Amino acid sequence: MSKQGMERPVFFFKDEEHNDLLKDIVFHDIGFDRTAPHGTYPNPGLPPIGIYTPETGRVIPEYQFVYIVHGQGTVITPSRKTYHVKAGSVIVVFADVWHSYYPDPETGWSQYWIGFNGQSIRRHLPWDIVTPEHPTFEVGINNELIGLFERALKMSENKQWEALTFLVGFLLSLMKDLSEEFHQKQSKPDRSTRIREAMDYMRHMTGATIDLQQIAAELGMSYSTFRSAFKQIAGISPHQYFLQARLGHAADLLRDSKLSIKEIAFRMGYDSPSHFCTSFQRLYSITPQQFRQDHGVEADK
């Protein structure tokens, strides 16, 4: 079920975004093949594109999108790095670049592919998610994509090229969506990173009054989510963490400075020395004055 050496098609693709790509694209090959568990691969019944075995790999003069819809297997890059692929994976084959891929003997696989070329294809591939050294991406079992492959297979037999054009455009759109998701993830730190940033901020703000709900909002989280994530990482609530950071800073001042307890209390944002002393004793089980005496510090009370 493979067509090769296709003549240059007439295009009807309406997506303006891809028009400069699709106006010069040339299709080479489209097909579907199933390799049974422990079956021979490549299928000897398919026309070869270059001399190819999984061990020797190959170089071909076209790009291909290979969509795995059943089973699993391995892709090998030019540097001999290997990737595991499974049902729902798309393999991008780069023109004039060595590569190899093959199914797992235990599962076999079923694959659709389409081969094409054109002067502007390189400008449209999202190089942040697919390169010869990272030639796969995941789309899952996408019924719309399977339908386009089936439609393109049938129409190619009658040299009707519209479906092939839509198929390539659809795959490019999928890659564009994945590229945008990639950049969003890169620009937005993961939750644990954001929580640790909040912890660092609290340690530097021990002398001020802070709004924990505002911190959560600035991190893009509801307060309940922020509190839960914070407690999971720190082991205590944000309020308790800030209180301990503040009193820890106060303990440093009691030990390393000659500031009075009253001055330290106000520097740490307490509204009265008695409130500070009560909080300090609750955490350390001794009063600020006893703490100073234990560390040999002489200062005004």
Side-chain angles (χ1 to χ4, degrees):
M1 194 184 290
S2 175
K3 300 288 183 183
Q4 287 190 284
M6 293 180 177
E7 62 191 54
R8 187 182 179 92
V10 177
F11 294 104
F12 302 94
F13 196 68
K14 301 302 182 185
D15 187 344
E16 295 296 329
E17 183 178 346
H18 299 305
N19 270 353
D20 61 330
L21 165 68
L22 298 171
K23 69 185 179 184
D24 72 4
I25 197 169
V26 177
F27 293 110
H28 293 274
D29 184 63
I30 183 169
F32 171 84
D33 182 52
R34 178 177 181 273
T35 302
H38 304 290
T40 301
Y41 185 82
N43 186 337
L46 292 176
I49 306 177
I51 299 172
Y52 174 54
T53 68
E55 293 76 22
T56 61
R58 65 177 179 176
V59 176
I60 59 176
E62 67 186 63
Y63 291 85
Q64 287 190 351
F65 290 143
V66 182
Y67 182 35
I68 309 301
V69 293
H70 175 75
Q72 60 186 5
T74 300
V75 178
I76 307 178
T77 72
S79 68
R80 302 312 192 262
K81 184 176 182 179
T82 61
Y83 287 91
H84 174 75
V85 289
K86 59 185 179 181
S89 300
V90 174
I91 304 167
V92 180
V93 175
F94 288 80
D96 303 315
V97 175
W98 185 93
H99 64 278
S100 181
Y101 55 84
Y102 51 88
D104 184 324
E106 295 299 319
T107 65
W109 69 15
S110 297
Q111 58 173 331
Y112 290 96
W113 73 89
I114 183 168
F116 54 93
N117 218 327
Q119 293 181 357
S120 58
I121 179 65
R122 285 183 173 271
R123 296 202 308 272
H124 289 264
L125 287 172
W127 292 92
D128 47 7
I129 64 168
V130 286
T131 67
E133 285 300 322
H134 191 281
T136 72
F137 62 99
E138 300 297 320
V139 299
I141 299 301
N142 186 306
N143 291 328
E144 186 175 1
L145 179 54
I146 292 172
L148 278 172
F149 265 111
E150 286 293 332
R151 180 182 170 207
L153 279 165
K154 292 176 182 177
M155 295 183 74
S156 68
E157 295 175 359
N158 300 316
K159 294 185 171 57
Q160 294 176 286
W161 310 110
E162 181 182 0
L164 279 71
T165 316
F166 272 103
L167 175 57
V168 172
F170 185 80
L171 282 161
L172 287 168
S173 295
L174 283 175
M175 284 193 287
K176 180 184 176 185
D177 290 344
L178 290 168
S179 177
E180 290 176 353
E181 288 180 15
F182 173 85
H183 283 298
Q184 288 173 0
K185 288 178 181 177
Q186 291 294 100
S187 62
K188 188 175 183 179
D190 62 28
R191 182 173 294 177
S192 63
T193 300
R194 287 178 283 162
I195 293 298
R196 294 185 193 285
E197 288 175 354
M199 293 165 69
D200 185 62
Y201 174 77
M202 289 183 195
R203 289 194 299 271
H204 284 85
M205 296 297 290
T206 52
T209 300
I210 64 171
D211 185 337
L212 293 173
Q213 296 210 13
Q214 180 63 30
I215 292 174
E218 290 177 359
L219 295 177
M221 293 184 246
S222 67
Y223 181 70
S224 61
T225 299
F226 169 68
R227 189 180 187 283
S228 175
F230 194 103
K231 193 169 183 179
Q232 186 175 12
I233 292 172
I236 54 178
S237 71
H239 175 75
Q240 290 172 318
Y241 183 88
F242 181 64
L243 178 62
Q244 289 187 16
R246 172 180 274 178
L247 291 172
H249 189 183
D252 291 340
L253 292 175
L254 288 167
R255 183 181 57 247
D256 301 328
S257 80
K258 292 190 176 183
L259 293 172
S260 70
I261 290 174
K262 181 178 180 179
E263 288 175 309
I264 292 172
F266 288 127
R267 282 199 181 195
M268 292 298 98
Y270 284 90
D271 53 8
S272 70
S274 61
H275 183 196
F276 165 64
C277 291
T278 299
S279 296
F280 191 93
Q281 187 169 5
R282 185 179 296 122
L283 180 64
Y284 289 101
S285 300
I286 57 174
T287 67
Q289 184 63 27
Q290 289 171 326
F291 182 89
R292 280 202 136 154
Q293 291 173 352
D294 289 348
H295 288 83
V297 178
E298 293 183 5
D300 295 338
K301 295 184 181 181

